[in-house]
Amino acid sequence: MEKQIIIINGTGGCGKDTFVTFAQKVGRVRNISSIDLVKELAIHLGYLGGKSDKDRKFLSELKRITTEYNDLSFQDISRKVEEFKKSNDDILFIHIREPEEIERAKLAFGAKTLLIKRIGYETITSNASDANVENYIYDYVITNESLESLENQAYSLINGLTEKKLTRKLD
């Protein structure tokens, strides 16, 4: 199977990590985020891992500053993509919020893009990264209506991306 890279996005609470967990039941999947290294830095600055509007804005601004300064997040993702290419994993999910960063990574890595939407969840607008989640034209859009529906859509997407038909791993 040819390795696949999928840039995944969606507002907080929409089910992105749950979708990836379901995808891991049918394929060898790796999951990373463009904010991983920024979060490590933020911890040294007093960030406690929260998801409040204040926390989200802090991480968004820190990512913007480190991107302008030394392209930290993109360099980190690039290194992790190279590790993925050498691994036994088949699919890499990269969480990226900002439309310009999504496009850059899509072109650099030959990735597909995926938006997860959830009925009744409003886009977070307290920071620039979250506020622009839907300001991009994605290759795939999945609506999270229920856990069962999300699992079925994860299975369908992964099967559609793979050359061989996969079977679900039962819990």
Side-chain angles (χ1 to χ4, degrees):
M1 171 184 159
E2 184 178 327
K3 291 182 178 279
Q4 301 284 329
I5 299 174
I6 301 170
I7 299 167
I8 188 170
N9 201 4
T11 196
C14 70
K16 297 177 298 295
D17 286 322
T18 303
F19 183 89
V20 172
T21 298
F22 289 145
Q24 289 170 331
K25 289 183 174 184
V26 293
R28 292 183 303 243
V29 173
R30 189 175 288 209
N31 189 32
I32 65 172
S33 175
S34 66
I35 201 84
D36 288 342
L37 195 52
V38 173
K39 282 183 177 178
E40 288 180 33
L41 290 173
I43 288 169
H44 295 288
L45 299 171
Y47 172 68
L48 300 175
K51 292 190 175 195
S52 70
D53 285 348
K54 184 177 180 180
D55 293 323
R56 289 176 179 278
K57 184 171 180 153
F58 174 60
L59 292 174
S60 176
E61 288 299 310
L62 187 57
K63 182 179 179 190
R64 181 189 58 77
I65 290 166
T66 58
T67 295
E68 288 176 9
Y69 182 70
N70 64 2
D71 208 17
L72 180 76
S73 291
F74 193 79
Q75 297 305 319
D76 185 47
I77 289 171
S78 297
R79 183 176 39 74
K80 290 175 179 176
V81 166
E82 289 307 311
E83 290 172 4
F84 162 72
K85 288 178 179 177
K86 296 174 187 171
S87 76
N88 290 327
D89 294 323
D90 296 319
I91 298 169
L92 172 65
F93 283 96
I94 306 173
H95 296 251
I96 304 176
R97 288 272 199 265
E98 305 82 4
E100 64 280 357
E101 292 293 316
I102 292 170
E103 185 64 16
R104 182 179 180 202
K106 178 179 180 173
L107 295 173
F109 309 129
K112 297 288 185 189
T113 58
L114 169 64
L115 175 67
I116 306 288
K117 298 176 92 171
R118 187 168 178 185
I119 304 295
Y121 272 67
E122 297 295 321
T123 300
I124 296 167
T125 58
S126 59
N127 65 81
S129 299
D130 285 315
N132 290 305
V133 163
E134 293 199 33
N135 292 338
Y136 187 84
I137 299 171
Y138 294 87
D139 296 309
Y140 306 100
V141 177
I142 288 178
T143 301
N144 177 4
E145 297 173 355
S146 68
L147 285 175
E148 182 181 352
S149 168
L150 192 64
E151 183 170 18
N152 288 336
Q153 291 180 83
Y155 176 76
S156 294
L157 180 68
I158 300 308
N159 250 342
L161 292 173
T162 59
E163 296 168 2
K164 60 184 179 187
K165 293 299 175 199
L166 302 169
T167 56
R168 296 183 205 210
K169 298 175 195 168
L170 300 175
D171 293 330

